[in-house]
Amino acid sequence: MTKPVAHIVWDWNGTLFHDTDAVIAATNSAFAEIGLEPITLERYRELYCVPVPRFYERLMGRLPTEAEWLLMDATFHRYYTEHRAGCGLADGADGLLATWQAAGRSQSILSMFGHEELIPLVRGLGIASRFVRVEGRTGPSGGSKSAHMVRHLAALERVDPGRTVVIGDAVDDAVAARDAGAHAVLYTGGSHSRSSLTAAGVPVVDSLTEAVQIAEDLAA
């Protein structure tokens, strides 16, 4: 039987894809439409959580109604699509992906971003060939990644969760990794503050280079 290879599951938004500014701009555009005050990046990182309606609860003091949530979610995605056009890969990401692949290891993307939008975006950035699987969300938005992670890893050949490292920017990435039997490294360049990431009990880093270095050790 062929030995499993070291594997990285990359998160997309806020990790490989540096879209933090677009997320804040879209969030504030959506907030303006429903009468909420704008939010700073620092405040966003302090409060952001999944499921996303809980994030809005922290801002509003109550859970949004189903109608409010649907309006907020649709409004956010409309504005995000506009702002996303100016975004690209995180610094150094292309080289890290190439080096990991060249070493005979494997990698994939699992994102809660819509699958139908994710695929052409990854292809358009010229990195699709780096991954054995690219998978985005196909159901309703705003939920946790755990069940998706378990299915994602089960669908991969020659991948053992014990030699897999999830690299993401949210506590939910660490929870999903744990639930799937994998390791996790969290990156401070996205949606969460360092203090909230540290609470997950996994390595927290300020660059994707550091994340991959730790992944090499964890997946050895």
Side-chain angles (χ1 to χ4, degrees):
M1 182 175 176
T2 306
K3 182 182 177 181
V5 297
H7 185 81
I8 289 175
V9 179
W10 292 95
D11 175 55
W12 183 248
N13 303 96
T15 305
L16 277 181
F17 190 59
H18 184 63
D19 62 350
T20 307
D21 291 342
V23 167
I24 298 301
T27 297
N28 284 330
S29 296
F31 282 5
E33 289 209 7
I34 58 172
L36 292 178
E37 293 295 318
I39 190 171
T40 64
L41 173 59
E42 291 71 27
R43 183 76 173 145
Y44 183 94
R45 284 175 166 164
E46 287 173 11
L47 296 178
Y48 184 76
C49 63
V50 296
V52 179
R54 294 289 181 184
F55 168 54
Y56 288 119
E57 180 183 26
R58 293 179 175 186
L59 291 165
M60 301 168 66
R62 63 174 176 81
L63 274 172
T65 65
E66 184 177 357
E68 286 173 331
W69 159 244
L70 292 173
L71 173 63
M72 290 167 153
D73 189 50
T75 306
F76 169 82
H77 283 98
R78 185 174 76 249
Y79 283 111
Y80 174 77
T81 299
E82 292 178 13
H83 292 290
R84 187 186 71 200
C87 301
L89 292 175
D91 287 345
D94 201 1
L96 292 170
L97 295 173
T99 300
W100 185 266
Q101 183 184 40
R105 305 163 179 139
S106 64
Q107 53 200 335
S108 59
I109 293 173
L110 177 62
S111 174
M112 298 305 283
F113 187 53
H115 185 77
E116 297 303 320
E117 292 180 273
L118 176 65
I119 297 299
L121 190 53
V122 172
R123 287 175 178 159
L125 289 166
I127 56 171
S129 64
R130 304 293 184 204
F131 306 103
V132 295
R133 188 177 182 88
V134 177
E135 189 174 2
R137 173 185 49 78
T138 55
S141 64
S144 173
K145 191 180 276 187
S146 284
H148 300 276
M149 185 67 70
V150 172
R151 289 194 297 268
H152 182 79
L153 292 182
L156 298 175
E157 296 181 3
R158 294 184 62 215
V159 170
D160 173 7
R163 296 198 68 199
T164 297
V165 180
V166 176
I167 298 178
D169 70 316
V171 171
D172 189 52
D173 291 301
V175 173
R178 180 200 66 201
D179 290 348
H183 305 278
V185 179
L186 298 180
Y187 166 58
T188 61
S191 60
H192 283 229
S193 66
R194 172 175 276 277
S195 60
S196 64
L197 294 178
T198 301
V202 302
V204 177
V205 298
D206 296 318
S207 73
L208 294 184
T209 299
E210 293 175 83
V212 172
Q213 288 170 346
I214 293 174
E216 288 180 354
D217 293 333
L218 292 174

